[in-house]
Amino acid sequence: QVQLVESGGGSVHPGGSMRLSCAASGTIPSITAMGWYRQSPGKQRELVAAITTGGATTVEDYVKGRFTVSRDNTKNTVYLQMNTLKPEDTDVYYCNLDSGYLDYWGQGTQVTVSS
């Protein structure tokens, strides 16, 4: 089994920073990429940023320059450093593990940016 445990979410004022972490554990035969998605109720889940095991990154334009995705392969952990947060960044953020043929998901962590 694969378990993804997210941490670092919470509430912050506009302009603040947060760092999300996601550690994968259990039986993990393969990891091609890990990343972060966001989803609001009734909406489709959408990519925020992802990183391959080799270090190639994909960062969506709406967070480019503010968010940075990184990983520690020895710990099967992916991070999302979020700077200069805006109210529109508010959402539930989900950790993703791409095994190459099957996706695994965390439970989601709430990020709220408000005055």
Side-chain angles (χ1 to χ4, degrees), residues 47-67:
L47 175 70
V48 179
I51 185 168
T52 69
T53 304
T57 61
T58 298
V59 182
E60 292 303 292
D61 287 341
Y62 66 92
V63 298
K64 193 180 295 291
R66 297 188 297 119
F67 291 10

Side-chain angles (χ1 to χ4, degrees), residues 34 36 49-51 57-59 67-71 78-81:
M34 295 183 71
W36 295 92
I51 185 168
T57 61
T58 298
V59 182
F67 291 10
T68 302
V69 64
S70 60
R71 84 282 186 270
V78 63
Y79 306 94
L80 185 66
Q81 179 66 47

